Amino acid sequence: MNKKISKKFLLTIPFIIITLLFLVLPMIMIFVRSFIPTDGNTVVDNWNYIDDFVWKKILISLFDAFATTLIVILISYPFAYFLAFNCSKTTRSIAILLVTAPVWTSFLVKLIGLKTFFDAINGYENSTSGEIFTIIGLVYLYTPFMILPLYNTLIELPKNLIFASKDLGRGNFNTFINVVVPYTKAALFSGITLVFLPSLTTVAVPQFLNASPSGSLIGDILMEEGQLALTSDISLARASSLSLVLLLIMTVGYVLFIFGRKIYNRSRKGNTR
């Protein structure tokens, strides 16, 4: 028994070391930096940087991330479902190859190509202006990260569950809601994480696809402060403070999501009794 425990502990050591070095210690440094006076500034000055302008950018970033995630779900679910149940193995392989192909190319190359495409359609350079183009760019970049987990789960979904649901009188929509969605919820949550979090703190996408002077998002602001932090302690403190605020927002959102999910599951169980 002790040998089994020791072997399991040894297997977890690399994970523990990586977590401490690349997650725990950086977070401690960020927390400490945000509460240290620098360059004649007080701790209050570090946090006063997060003013109305920064909060506005945070709200816009949250909106773009929510909109991107919703659109990606609406695109990915039907595509993955059709691919899993209505295509041959050859067609599936080709489709997955085409879906994952953009992932292999450079992030900036994809943005340049998308911007060039829109400029060619509109007939002039820098024709993309507005949050809609930022959202389109985010959807283009992150849709594969939603399709793949959904497809990998749907391909394992027993078809007899679909047939049984329809034999019981449920239509396609009710079958999808009551059978397919519960079966793929783990993949869905994984896809949401892979899409929402990068979209919230995205960098460069607004700069390439939103020519509006106020098109930057919170990730761009954080990136600017991070670059200045190489030579400025006050910028490092401000970037740390902003990082903590974003972390707090994501943590609160995650907690609300978990509690909301539990409340929803309990209400469903209560209704089925």
Side-chain angles (χ1 to χ4, degrees):
M1 186 69 178
N2 292 332
K3 290 183 178 180
K4 290 183 179 180
I5 295 175
S6 61
K7 287 181 179 180
K8 291 180 180 179
F9 178 74
L10 289 174
L11 291 174
T12 60
I13 288 178
F15 174 76
I16 294 173
I17 293 175
I18 292 173
T19 303
L20 288 174
L21 290 178
F22 298 106
L23 181 62
V24 177
L25 289 179
M27 290 306 303
I28 292 174
M29 293 176 65
I30 289 173
F31 182 84
V32 171
R33 281 288 184 178
S34 63
F35 289 98
I36 293 180
T38 55
D39 297 337
N41 294 282
T42 64
V43 174
V44 176
D45 294 326
N46 297 344
W47 289 90
N48 282 341
Y49 168 75
I50 308 174
D51 54 10
D52 292 341
F53 174 78
V54 174
W55 278 112
K56 180 181 178 181
K57 291 299 180 182
I58 292 175
L59 292 177
I60 294 174
S61 299
L62 284 170
F63 172 81
D64 287 358
F66 275 116
T68 298
T69 305
L70 179 61
I71 294 171
V72 167
I73 291 173
L74 294 176
I75 293 173
S76 301
Y77 246 129
F79 182 85
Y81 185 86
F82 178 81
L83 197 62
F85 290 101
N86 297 282
C87 296
S88 63
K89 289 184 178 180
T90 302
T91 304
R92 292 174 193 165
S93 300
I94 295 174
I96 292 299
L97 178 66
L98 294 175
V99 167
T100 57
V103 180
W104 305 342
T105 58
S106 169
F107 183 84
L108 293 179
V109 169
K110 288 184 285 188
L111 290 179
I112 293 171
L114 189 60
K115 179 175 178 58
T116 304
F117 172 75
F118 282 122
D119 288 344
I121 292 177
N122 295 324
Y124 60 96
E125 295 183 355
N126 295 324
S127 62
T128 56
S129 179
E131 294 300 324
I132 183 62
F133 289 102
T134 299
I135 295 173
I136 290 173
L138 293 172
V139 170
Y140 169 68
L141 290 173
Y142 296 119
T143 295
F145 298 101
M146 181 69 74
I147 290 177
L148 291 177
L150 288 176
Y151 169 77
N152 288 331
T153 303
L154 285 170
I155 201 68
E156 301 295 333
L157 173 63
K159 291 186 178 180
N160 60 342
L161 293 179
I162 305 293
F163 297 146
S165 176
K166 292 183 178 180
D167 289 340
L168 291 173
R170 287 178 174 175
N172 292 329
F173 180 76
N174 285 329
T175 298
F176 179 80
I177 295 297
N178 294 285
V179 177
V180 176
V181 173
Y183 189 87
T184 59
K185 63 181 180 180
L188 178 62
F189 296 148
S190 175
I192 289 174
T193 302
L194 292 173
V195 173
F196 181 80
L197 295 182
S199 298
L200 177 61
T201 56
T202 187
V203 178
V205 175
Q207 295 176 353
F208 275 90
L209 295 176
N210 189 353
S212 172
S214 59
S216 62
L217 295 179
I218 195 62
D220 300 305
I221 295 176
L222 186 59
M223 181 66 178
E224 290 175 3
E225 288 297 324
Q227 291 175 334
L228 294 173
L230 296 175
T231 56
S232 172
D233 289 337
I234 183 61
S235 294
L236 180 58
R238 289 173 174 174
S240 300
S241 302
L242 182 55
S243 297
L244 284 180
V245 169
L246 294 175
L247 177 62
L248 180 61
I249 291 173
M250 288 185 283
T251 302
V252 170
Y254 179 77
V255 171
L256 291 176
F257 175 77
I258 294 299
F259 276 102
R261 181 182 167 190
K262 288 183 178 180
I263 293 172
Y264 174 75
N265 290 334
R266 288 179 181 176
S267 65
R268 285 194 63 183
K269 290 180 180 179
N271 293 331
T272 55
R273 290 177 181 176

